[in-house]
Amino acid sequence: MSKISEKDVLVPLDVLSDFRDDYISNYMTATQESGRLMLFAGDQKIEHLNDDFYGDDIAAEDNDPEHLFRIAENGRIGVFATQLGLIARYGRDYPDLAYLVKMNSKTHLVKTTQSDPYSARLCGIDQLMEFKENSGLNIVGIGYTIYIGSEFEADMLAEAAQLIYEAHRFGLISVLWVYPRGQAVSDEKDAHLIAGATGTAACLNADFVKVNAPRAKDGQESAVLLKEAVQSAGRTKVVCAGGSNASPEEFLKELHKQLHISGVAGNATGRNIHQKPLDEAVRMCNAIYALTVHLAPIEEALKIYRGE
């Protein structure tokens, strides 16, 4: 693995001098000293309600929220992202995890045909810092979702900008989930629009931006088209969403392409990990970690997943 040193970390100028070392430490922890992010996403209990946690081809244990924490503890990850409420409920039993707090969430019940999406914040930075101090947990950053193209995008943009500014002041890293969505959006996976999403995240001073991989088009595969988004993000690093459930082999091969062809700096994966039984989920975590943090060959990652 090619490690980065502390002097390689680009510290944003809105980080207060007293918290500069905290920011560097949080960045190094989240990226496992690689500069690349393996984010285990556990925020879907609100986002997708129980659709991702109960049903055919989903491990029975996934219906229990603690399954997420067990995976995060036993697998190799950079950071575990979920809502503050779940961290407050389970964090005492999992004190060694690095947490990223998802600051806003909404369900998927209201469709864009009824109303454009809006996801308001659930708590503020002052509350988060108070919780961090009282709990003693290792909270390294925040996450926030923006739906560009929604008629409510201005509210989310402003809220995200303020949260990032405040989080940076206290040395926390920031990850934006940015998705084109709303009645003004005809193709949520258009490569040019996704590049606009990553550029938006850069303008808001996000450290990382999570986007969906673009749809293949005109004979160009997704990983090639994703290059536009990586360049558009500049010094904000792009990570790809895990997306809908795919076979482990297909998922790992596509992630390898994203890392080596697109130039993304990691991934944020949820259901492609947690819908599996614990042992398999841990092996999947470890395979994704090897690809992301160690830049391992795809053959090695597949062996890790298969337990070979």
Side-chain angles (χ1 to χ4, degrees):
M1 178 180 77
S2 57
K3 290 188 176 183
I4 62 171
S5 67
E6 292 186 356
K7 70 176 186 304
D8 296 320
V9 178
L10 178 65
V11 181
L13 294 178
D14 52 356
V15 175
L16 295 178
S17 58
D18 288 348
F19 290 90
R20 181 182 174 86
D21 289 343
D22 294 271
Y23 177 90
I24 293 172
S25 175
N26 289 331
Y27 187 95
M28 296 289 271
T29 294
T31 67
Q32 296 290 285
E33 301 181 3
S34 71
R36 293 177 295 278
L37 185 66
M38 192 294 195
L39 183 150
F40 175 40
D43 61 321
Q44 303 98 341
K45 294 291 279 188
I46 293 179
E47 298 291 342
H48 302 161
L49 297 178
N50 227 33
D51 291 353
D52 281 354
F53 298 89
Y54 186 87
D56 296 339
D57 301 321
I58 298 175
E61 62 215 86
D62 198 20
N63 200 33
D64 180 354
E66 194 166 2
H67 183 56
L68 298 168
F69 289 82
R70 294 186 182 112
I71 295 168
E73 180 178 58
N74 290 283
R76 302 196 71 184
I77 65 171
V79 67
F80 174 43
T82 193
Q83 290 86 4
L84 187 62
L86 278 184
I87 299 171
R89 286 284 165 182
Y90 294 93
R92 68 182 48 160
D93 295 325
Y94 301 90
D96 297 327
L97 296 180
Y99 293 100
L100 185 136
V101 177
K102 190 70 189 303
M103 301 296 287
N104 69 332
S105 289
K106 71 167 194 65
T107 76
H108 62 348
L109 290 178
V110 178
K111 308 302 181 186
T112 55
T113 52
Q114 177 182 343
S115 177
D116 274 7
Y118 174 58
S119 186
R121 71 181 178 92
L122 301 172
C123 64
I125 297 298
D126 287 344
Q127 293 168 305
L128 177 60
M129 295 307 295
E130 180 181 73
F131 176 84
K132 176 179 168 66
E133 182 178 352
N134 289 339
S135 68
L137 294 178
N138 188 21
I139 295 172
V140 303
I142 65 163
Y144 185 95
T145 298
I146 300 171
Y147 299 103
I148 59 169
S150 167
E151 61 182 308
F152 306 108
E153 69 171 19
D155 295 323
M156 289 177 279
L157 289 168
E159 200 161 74
Q162 292 302 311
L163 285 170
I164 289 172
Y165 186 83
E166 291 297 320
H168 278 168
R169 290 181 71 239
F170 292 109
L172 299 176
I173 68 167
S174 61
V175 182
L176 288 182
W177 283 234
V178 186
Y179 303 128
R181 193 162 300 166
Q183 296 180 56
V185 177
S186 60
D187 184 359
E188 296 180 4
K189 293 191 175 182
D190 175 72
H192 193 56
L193 192 51
I194 290 170
T198 63
T200 297
C203 292
L204 296 176
N205 196 18
D207 301 298
F208 294 89
V209 54
K210 173 190 175 187
V211 293
N212 286 313
R215 196 184 319 278
K217 185 178 180 181
D218 298 332
Q220 289 188 294
E221 61 179 332
S222 175
V224 173
L225 293 173
L226 187 56
K227 287 181 178 181
E228 181 186 352
V230 173
Q231 186 176 27
S232 175
R235 292 179 176 178
T236 292
K237 294 187 175 181
V238 177
V239 299
C240 265
S244 57
N245 203 17
S247 76
E249 290 79 9
E250 290 173 343
F251 179 90
L252 293 171
K253 288 177 181 178
E254 188 61 29
L255 173 57
H256 186 267
K257 288 181 181 179
Q258 291 166 352
L259 289 162
H260 294 275
I261 296 176
S262 314
V264 303
N267 70 97
T269 307
R271 74 194 93 170
N272 277 288
I273 294 173
H274 66 69
Q275 290 185 343
K276 299 171 172 55
L278 181 60
D279 177 71
E280 185 181 0
V282 167
R283 285 187 277 112
M284 187 65 171
C285 255
N286 295 346
I288 293 171
Y289 182 95
L291 285 177
T292 304
V293 175
H294 295 291
L295 294 179
I298 183 61
E299 295 79 12
E300 181 181 330
L302 290 171
K303 286 181 179 179
I304 292 171
Y305 168 70
R306 294 166 184 156
E308 298 175 358

